[in-house]
Amino acid sequence: MACTTVPIDHGTRPGMAAATDADGTQPAALHRVRTMLRYGSRAVLESGRIVAWTAVYGTRAGTVALGRRSQEEKDVALSGIARSYLLRMGPLYMKAGQVLATQSGLLPKRATDEFRGFFSDLPPMSRRDLARTLDRAYQRPVEEVFETFDWRPVAVGSVAEVHLATLPGGRRVAVKVVKRGVRERLWASGRVLAALIRLGDLVPAVRRLDGSAMFGEIRPLLVDQCDMLREARTQLRCRDNFARHPYVRIPSPVLERCSRDVLVMDYMDGVPGQFPEGVSFPRGRLAQRLMDTFYSAVFFHGFYHVDPHPGNLLFTQDGGLVLLDFGLFGSLTEDEKWDLAAFYYACIRKEWDVAVDRLTKAFVVQAGRIDDDPDTYRRQMAAVLRRHFEEVADHWSTFAFFDDATRLLRRYRARVTTSFSLLAIGLLTGEGFVSQTDPDIDVWANARRFTDRFSPYMSAEVQERFDRVIVPAIPESFALRRRAAEFLVAPTHLDRFVLPSAYPLVVDSAEGCRITDVDGRTYIDLSCGYGPHILGYGHPAVARAIADAAMRGGVNALGNRDELALGEQIAQAFPEGSKVILANSGTEAVVMALRLARAHTRRDRVAKFEGHYHGFTDQGMVSGWFRHRGDKARPEPIQGSAGSQHAVVENTLVLQLGEPASLERIAEHADELAAVILEPMPAAMAAFDRPFLTALRELCTRKGIVLVFDEVVTGFRVHYGGVQHLAGVYPDLTTLGKVIGGGLPCGAVVGRGEVIDAARTTRDPFLDIETKGFVGGTLSGNSITAAAGLAALQELERDPGVYERLRARSAFLRKGLLAEADHLGVPCDVKGEHSIFSITFDYASPRFVRDRLSGSNMKANLALSYYFRQHGVYVPELHTLMLGDAHAEDDLAEVVAAFGAVLTEMVDDGLFAH
Ligand code: PLP
């Protein structure tokens, strides 16, 4: 696995990036030579210092250790020696001191107390050095940059110190200034350490640990801590990640005043992290919040502080956490986040073999001797996991777990990834800080609480609650599910892929917007059968049309009037000259559209967008709902289902909706691209991006790429026709399904005649085979489905007010739901436009589908479905909700009232406490 730290310019030495010196006068070559000399001499000096001081302090420590004092006295003396040794050795070593200071469990208390001085008692730079640094940064007197500037630092760290100032106009700011000489010393001590490790590599046993490679990956990170511009960008990214968070606050950097040595940010007041006793907020909850914050950064954002020590944070009196330092950050890829979640999931379920496999796959880069005896390795690692996750869970320590796991891996000469190492360091410091804030915290229980709340699987607590009330109420539904389990496999709602419903819903009858289950319980339904029933269940016109067509024999595979009528009805809803091909589902329609695009363009590849679902084919599911890979702006393909053809997956170009890079990538690959397919209004977002769609349209036209809008959900639902009519942007092909079948299986491709004709016969069989795309299906255009679809579309066309009503009722419902949540102070986001809805309990406002689950209270979200059921409303778990014309305002008022009752119960049950 690749190194996944923040992107780094590995080749550049600090101070060597600029072509001219900071004052802009020195020629580049001369500057470079001088810098090299400066850094070279630093490295020599540093080596000397390390050897000399290590000898001096080593002797002192040895004398104490061998002396005749009590153990406690020795601990105190040795800690003092270690502290002044690290202080003398420079910033890299001070970092080590900071980590040690958080480890109350690792070192004697007296020793950690000694090291705690590293958070606050470090020496500042001289006023002269400070003035020179500021002068160099601003090239003008400090008085001109700041209205006031306090030359006494309020905090001094190992790398930088912080001063208070005001900007002209009175804005209070904190000014973080890199200490003079620190950059060079970090660089030099990094070099020297690297050289020492290389020296160690001469010993084969040491070489196998691959320390050089690991340190090589981490070293640039250490030096990058001194780059305040980089830090300001990191700070902004974290601010974004925690935007709207209920208690995490991050000061805004004032970018126009930042430079490589100086970071200016809004001033925020608070109690330094090492003094939680100065805060009136309960210590236990403060520690819990700390841990949640750190876990959120790791598991949701995949972007976390590697060194979250108390000096980097302030507490506010109301329990807020102000994050201050953004120097050392580690990141996890989407795959690593997934692997880590999968690993913890297996541990929680006590499936140790699975957990061992997942841990090894995720974090071991070199298997060493594992492959020689994999069975023993698995047994031993399983024992480590069992011990930490089960036996000693009540005094859980991630550090101890990582330490034991690493030790075992080392015995097998296996090498872990840098991500693993950085995460270990981060968790080590973070959890140390948490335990210091509340020594009684049960880290394990809190970790479980966190995963329980934020993971997309059923919480045991919720399950227990509803097992008591729902299970006895739906015996018939359970009996049917048990029977089904014997012979009916799969993606039915009795047994759904990835998210099997805890409580089956087996419908006996449905009418309008209501469904009644086999146990006689009636619910207002907000699923609309996942879309088709826009007119409500059992609409008389549709039911009549179905009965009539069935009475006429139910013709398929032979021409019939109904298919003609449906085809014509659909074509007329799209731009003039549009033509139609009928299919049996949305999935089929997409397969057809893509084949036609290939036949038409004679190109092979397809581009799709991350998080968009286009049916269950290999390509339709690439980077779909659950799994994502690569950079946000430039995603990489990943299969959405086992059994997908590797070549198809890999050949799919995956893009990000709304990202300019997506347009560049389409242009780059234009010669190979047959089609670009997307959901123009992704159901998860319930919104469309007109400028992006317009740009995409223009680009595809220019490059001769077929643009396909997948309107299987939105077609005839958000407007008669689809989103394209609302956006005013028209694709070459549109795929349809759901509504156009009136509740029966149906799909269609509609589009420009020129492209659709790629499926029209030439009447020359030889030419057909060579040039035409075959699309077909025994039941495509069968008379019963076609009659049902036609009746539904005619109803929608006959009453254009239907879309106005759906819009108004969507607004009514959205407003009502939000008002209930607001009234109860529940963090709730309702997206809902044009009859398509989602409800999340979330502090984030994700821009991309891949971030949608980050920070979302999954436990509440899943539970919502079951609380609602108890109040006579059916909402599918974690799926888009939909309205139909059969939902009258009274029904929706009932839903709103039920939501109020549901939220009250959820609040009482503690689902939103933090
Ligand atoms: N495209 C989109 C956008 C969809 O949401 C779906 C299904 O939900 C499909 C295609 C596949 O349609 P079907 O389930 O009818 O095969």
Side-chain angles (χ1 to χ4, degrees):
M1 201 171 300
C3 168
T4 53
T5 45
V6 188
I8 290 155
D9 179 2
H10 291 262
T12 318
R13 260 175 236 155
M16 293 194 66
T20 57
D21 199 4
D23 60 11
T25 53
Q26 215 170 72
L30 181 58
H31 171 73
R32 208 165 291 149
V33 171
R34 286 184 56 169
T35 314
M36 273 169 67
L37 286 175
R38 187 147 51 98
Y39 281 96
S41 55
R42 270 284 177 197
V44 173
L45 260 176
E46 198 65 27
S47 322
R49 278 168 42 80
I50 287 178
V51 173
W53 286 119
T54 305
V56 170
Y57 282 89
T59 314
R60 270 201 225 164
T63 316
V64 170
L66 297 173
R68 271 203 257 145
R69 302 193 219 175
S70 73
Q71 190 55 45
E72 195 182 340
E73 282 169 340
K74 280 185 186 176
D75 283 346
V76 174
L78 284 172
S79 308
I81 292 172
R83 181 178 188 276
S84 51
Y85 170 68
L86 296 178
L87 208 54
R88 197 166 289 280
M89 298 300 282
L92 193 65
Y93 302 82
M94 289 182 215
K95 284 275 160 216
Q98 285 168 344
V99 171
L100 289 175
T102 58
Q103 292 312 302
S104 19
L106 195 65
L107 297 175
K109 182 167 175 332
R110 296 293 278 273
T112 47
D113 287 350
E114 191 72 48
F115 285 120
R116 281 177 83 173
F118 276 114
F119 301 132
S120 52
D121 301 341
L122 294 171
M125 64 181 139
S126 69
R127 173 153 176 170
R128 191 163 147 267
D129 281 349
L130 175 60
R132 279 173 61 183
T133 308
L134 291 171
D135 280 353
R136 222 178 55 173
Y138 294 117
Q139 306 282 309
R140 58 194 164 121
V142 174
E143 303 76 54
E144 284 181 23
V145 183
F146 301 104
E147 201 169 270
T148 63
F149 186 89
D150 188 345
W151 292 90
R152 277 165 315 164
V154 282
V156 183
S158 50
V159 169
E161 59 189 49
V162 180
H163 294 259
L164 297 186
T166 45
L167 292 177
R171 183 171 169 190
R172 290 184 77 197
V173 289
V175 183
K176 183 171 176 182
V177 189
V178 176
K179 289 196 213 163
R180 211 168 149 76
V182 159
R183 178 174 293 115
E184 292 85 345
R185 285 195 67 184
L186 271 180
W187 183 85
S189 40
R191 270 271 143 134
V192 172
L193 266 183
L196 288 176
I197 294 172
R198 268 204 304 280
L199 207 62
D201 282 352
L202 294 175
V203 182
V206 176
R207 188 167 57 240
R208 276 190 223 103
L209 299 177
D210 214 1
S212 289
M214 286 183 70
F215 188 67
E217 286 171 12
I218 293 174
R219 202 179 76 204
L221 266 181
L222 298 171
V223 177
D224 279 334
Q225 287 183 88
C226 303
D227 185 342
M228 292 295 115
L229 282 174
R230 168 186 285 268
E231 183 161 336
R233 282 195 300 274
T234 305
Q235 188 160 345
L236 275 176
R237 184 166 158 193
C238 287
R239 244 180 87 80
D240 262 7
N241 288 344
F242 281 107
R244 291 179 54 209
H245 192 278
Y247 54 80
V248 174
R249 306 183 183 49
I250 294 175
S252 242
V254 185
L255 283 180
E256 64 279 12
R257 309 264 159 163
C258 296
S259 72
R260 213 160 61 101
D261 286 329
V262 184
L263 195 161
V264 181
M265 67 187 109
D266 276 335
Y267 171 73
M268 283 191 178
D269 208 1
V271 176
Q274 55 271 45
F275 306 115
E277 57 279 3
V279 182
S280 47
F281 200 74
R283 287 278 281 273
R285 286 184 57 208
L286 213 51
Q288 214 174 57
R289 285 182 166 196
L290 250 179
M291 195 167 148
D292 281 11
T293 302
F294 188 55
Y295 275 30
S296 297
V298 171
F299 295 107
F300 298 156
H301 313 147
F303 191 57
Y304 62 92
H305 208 302
V306 176
D307 187 23
H309 66 71
N312 290 339
L313 182 138
L314 301 174
F315 295 119
T316 61
Q317 293 299 341
D318 60 351
L321 309 183
V322 182
L323 312 191
L324 289 178
D325 178 281
F326 301 86
L328 257 181
F329 265 68
S331 54
L332 294 173
T333 62
E334 289 297 307
D335 281 340
E336 285 167 331
K337 279 199 286 180
W338 176 274
D339 289 340
L340 206 55
F343 163 68
Y344 278 119
Y345 186 60
C347 290
I348 286 167
R349 289 159 63 100
K350 303 190 173 155
E351 294 173 353
W352 308 116
D353 281 349
V354 179
V356 171
D357 283 349
R358 288 179 177 175
L359 180 77
T360 313
K361 174 175 157 272
F363 292 117
V364 173
V365 258
Q366 279 170 22
R369 295 210 307 233
I370 290 178
D371 292 341
D372 296 349
D373 189 359
D375 292 343
T376 311
Y377 162 74
R378 293 171 109 234
R379 212 166 355 91
Q380 289 171 337
M381 187 56 95
V384 169
L385 299 184
R386 192 178 296 118
R387 188 173 122 66
H388 285 278
F389 282 86
E390 196 170 43
E391 290 160 22
V392 297
D394 56 344
H395 47 277
W396 169 263
S397 150
T398 309
F399 168 70
F401 158 61
F402 270 81
D403 196 39
D404 278 357
T406 312
R407 234 180 265 248
L408 180 66
L409 287 166
R410 218 179 285 140
R411 283 221 310 267
Y412 279 87
R413 306 212 170 127
R415 197 193 134 197
V416 293
T417 61
T418 311
S419 294
F420 184 84
S421 314
L422 284 179
L423 194 60
I425 298 173
L427 289 171
L428 170 65
T429 321
E431 282 179 10
F433 184 8
V434 167
S435 320
Q436 222 172 62
T437 304
D438 174 19
D440 298 327
I441 190 170
D442 181 341
V443 174
W444 172 246
N446 203 47
R448 285 295 300 269
R449 193 188 58 82
F450 182 88
T451 38
D452 183 52
R453 172 173 290 196
F454 295 110
S455 304
Y457 42 79
M458 186 77 169
S459 141
E461 185 194 319
V462 171
Q463 173 123 22
E464 208 177 288
R465 184 188 193 286
F466 288 108
D467 277 356
R468 263 181 279 126
V469 284
I470 299 188
V471 174
I474 54 168
E476 186 61 20
S477 305
F478 269 105
L480 288 176
R481 183 161 83 174
R482 274 194 299 276
R483 228 178 90 200
E486 288 169 23
F487 55 84
L488 185 60
V489 172
T492 76
H493 296 92
L494 292 170
D495 195 11
R496 202 150 50 120
F497 178 68
V498 177
L499 295 168
S501 174
Y503 308 104
L505 183 89
V506 187
V507 177
D508 185 55
S509 64
E511 188 184 359
C513 69
R514 285 182 161 72
I515 50 181
T516 302
D517 69 13
V518 288
D519 290 288
R521 291 162 47 120
T522 297
Y523 311 90
I524 296 179
D525 166 64
L526 291 182
S527 76
C528 283
Y530 291 181
H533 297 284
I534 193 168
L535 295 170
Y537 292 100
H539 189 275
V542 178
R544 264 197 312 274
I546 292 173
D548 177 55
M551 293 302 288
R552 285 188 282 113
V555 179
N556 67 287
L558 308 172
N560 67 78
R561 281 207 192 88
D562 302 283
E563 80 175 317
L564 274 184
L566 178 61
E568 191 171 12
Q569 184 82 18
I570 294 172
Q572 282 171 355
F574 290 87
E576 207 177 326
S578 292
K579 293 178 187 173
V580 175
I581 296 168
L582 293 179
N584 295 299
S585 67
T587 302
E588 273 191 23
V590 170
V591 172
M592 289 178 175
L594 297 182
R595 176 172 287 177
L596 295 190
R598 286 193 207 96
H600 175 72
T601 57
R602 311 277 155 136
R603 299 176 190 156
D604 200 38
R605 289 187 76 184
V606 168
K608 77 172 294 268
F609 287 79
E610 187 174 271
H612 294 204
Y613 174 70
H614 301 294
F616 69 83
T617 59
D618 295 354
Q619 195 155 43
M621 290 188 75
V622 171
S623 305
W625 293 321
F626 307 110
R627 293 221 55 181
H628 308 114
R629 178 170 282 168
D631 185 72
K632 268 183 204 182
R634 309 173 85 83
E636 290 158 29
I638 180 162
Q639 70 174 22
S641 160
S644 298
Q645 294 175 83
H646 185 71
V648 171
V649 174
E650 290 303 310
N651 204 31
T652 306
L653 181 68
V654 181
L655 309 166
Q656 196 63 264
L657 194 73
E659 260 298 320
S662 300
L663 301 174
E664 287 162 22
R665 294 175 76 205
I666 293 172
E668 251 168 61
H669 295 278
D671 292 348
E672 315 159 295
L673 283 176
V676 173
I677 184 167
L678 74 157
E679 289 183 68
M681 176 171 150
M685 299 298 183
F688 59 87
D689 178 346
R690 184 179 287 121
F692 187 80
L693 294 177
T694 309
L696 194 59
R697 170 69 282 181
E698 191 275 325
L699 178 63
C700 287
T701 306
R702 202 152 33 87
K703 299 288 183 185
I705 302 167
V706 174
L707 180 61
V708 185
F709 279 5
D710 181 344
E711 297 227 41
V712 169
V713 173
T714 50
F716 294 95
R717 168 165 281 284
V718 302
H719 189 279
Y720 191 77
V723 175
Q724 52 199 273
H725 299 84
L726 295 171
V729 179
Y730 293 91
D732 300 299
L733 297 177
T734 303
T735 55
L736 297 167
K738 309 218 184 218
V739 170
I740 63 160
L744 296 191
C746 192
V749 187
V750 54
R752 290 201 297 122
E754 190 198 341
V755 185
I756 288 260
D757 278 348
R760 185 185 289 274
T761 176
T762 58
R763 305 196 170 275
D764 170 346
F766 299 96
L767 197 57
D768 271 9
I769 296 279
E770 275 172 28
T771 64
K772 292 294 171 179
F774 171 72
V775 291
T778 307
L779 284 154
S780 301
N782 77 76
S783 64
I784 304 179
T785 296
L790 179 66
L793 296 191
Q794 282 174 337
E795 280 297 309
L796 294 170
E797 189 184 29
R798 190 182 54 74
D799 180 8
V802 65
Y803 294 104
E804 211 28 70
R805 284 198 295 280
L806 284 174
R807 226 184 326 270
R809 288 179 195 162
S810 299
F812 173 84
L813 182 60
R814 182 165 177 269
K815 213 167 129 207
L817 296 176
L818 282 172
E820 291 296 328
D822 204 39
H823 176 64
L824 291 162
V826 170
C828 175
D829 190 18
V830 180
K831 288 198 170 47
E833 294 283 345
H834 307 288
S835 81
I836 298 175
F837 272 86
S838 60
I839 302 174
T840 45
F841 299 107
D842 200 351
Y843 64 79
S845 19
R847 193 172 147 220
F848 302 125
V849 175
R850 70 159 68 178
D851 299 325
R852 212 159 38 96
L853 301 187
S854 288
S856 188
N857 185 337
M858 284 292 152
K859 177 177 176 175
N861 215 322
L862 272 163
L864 175 72
S865 176
Y866 306 126
Y867 278 98
F868 251 143
R869 269 202 226 179
Q870 295 305 94
H871 288 270
V873 177
Y874 173 69
V875 298
E877 302 96 332
L878 303 184
H879 199 282
T880 312
L881 318 182
M882 300 204 207
L883 292 187
D885 198 34
H887 291 96
E889 210 162 283
D890 283 353
D891 301 312
L892 298 180
E894 245 180 79
V895 173
V896 170
F899 192 57
V902 158
L903 287 187
T904 308
E905 288 174 13
M906 291 172 83
V907 169
D908 288 348
D909 289 348
L911 280 144
F912 304 111
H914 55 69

